[in-house]
Amino acid sequence: MSGLIGKKIGMTSIFDENGKNIPCTVIEAGPCIVTQVRTEEVDGYSAVQLGFDDATEKSATKADLGHAKKAGTSVKRKVVEFKGFDAEYKLGDAITVEHFTEGEFVDVAGTSKGKGFQGVVKRHGFGGVGQATHGQHNRLRAPGSIGAASYPARVFKGMKMAGRMGGDTVKVQNLRVLKVVAEKNLLVIKGCVPGHKNAYVIIRK
């Protein structure tokens, strides 16, 4: 699936031709620079490596600097490989937001917001004990039993318990492209995408 790297700007809403209010996400997509071209002969597979968002040379390693110099560009903060591009690209080529067209459907992947250590009610949707009556003292949001006794004498793997929540790679599929603003490299997509503001996202079609 071909695509681009982008940065989530935030959410807004727009009205369609029927006057319906549609929630949407604004993404700054590209321009992405081709930093490497993978070929069947050399690498065993075909792909295009894209870089997005300039980084300072001070924060880059010598390996990154050399890699960027080969492509004739600056060091990039985010580098991702994509397969399935129809056109042939060479080092240093720029791919813009015009790679997408209005009305088509895309998949957007990103890292979800980290929520920290959360209990079972927030993390897994447990109902809690319910009514805080019948002598309940402090058990309202408790997880309850996590297993039996002498058999199986252990807690089964995958037991829903409290723990770190969020910060996972999440992909949202089949989101419609509402607008492509080429002069500002913006993509307006229906619905929400994972991640905080200014988080990197990968848009594939």
Side-chain angles (χ1 to χ4, degrees):
M1 292 172 75
S2 65
L4 284 178
I5 311 165
K7 185 188 279 188
K8 178 177 173 178
I9 303 299
M11 289 195 73
T12 183
S13 63
I14 59 175
F15 291 94
D16 66 3
E17 60 276 6
N18 300 319
K20 190 178 178 185
N21 193 9
I22 301 173
C24 52
T25 305
V26 181
I27 297 171
E28 182 190 333
C32 294
I33 308 298
V34 177
T35 51
Q36 193 171 2
V37 178
R38 302 281 191 184
T39 59
E40 291 280 356
E41 302 80 57
V42 178
D43 305 289
Y45 67 99
S46 295
V48 175
Q49 187 189 83
L50 300 181
F52 174 70
D53 207 8
D54 293 341
T56 58
E57 288 195 7
K58 183 183 172 185
S59 63
T61 62
K62 283 189 177 178
D64 290 337
L65 288 166
H67 190 69
K69 191 178 177 184
K70 212 173 189 180
T73 183
S74 57
V75 181
K76 302 298 177 186
R77 287 182 186 276
K78 186 74 174 173
V79 177
V80 180
E81 278 188 8
F82 292 89
K83 294 180 180 180
F85 276 104
D86 296 329
E88 290 286 323
Y89 291 105
K90 53 186 188 296
L91 282 177
D93 285 355
I95 305 174
T96 65
V97 73
E98 289 169 305
H99 179 66
F100 299 102
T101 55
E102 291 181 12
E104 71 179 345
F105 290 86
V106 295
D107 298 346
V108 181
T111 304
S112 62
K113 286 180 180 179
K115 305 288 185 184
F117 194 102
Q118 296 298 330
V120 290
V121 173
K122 187 178 178 81
R123 194 178 187 217
H124 297 295
F126 281 21
V129 175
Q131 300 298 319
T133 181
H134 293 294
Q136 247 111 236
H137 165 53
N138 57 356
R139 313 292 304 147
L140 200 61
R141 298 170 71 91
S145 170
I146 58 168
S150 56
Y151 178 82
R154 63 192 176 92
V155 177
F156 288 121
K157 281 185 179 178
M159 178 67 63
K160 290 179 178 178
M161 299 171 82
R164 286 278 285 275
M165 182 182 174
D168 302 312
T169 299
V170 180
K171 182 191 280 186
V172 184
Q173 295 179 306
N174 297 323
L175 299 175
R176 187 154 54 92
V177 176
L178 299 176
K179 271 186 185 177
V180 178
V181 188
E183 59 272 15
K184 292 186 177 179
N185 299 310
L186 294 180
L187 206 58
V188 181
I189 293 176
K190 182 179 178 181
C192 56
V193 303
H196 55 80
K197 287 179 184 177
N198 294 322
Y200 292 116
V201 292
I202 296 163
I203 312 137
R204 299 179 191 268
K205 68 172 186 175

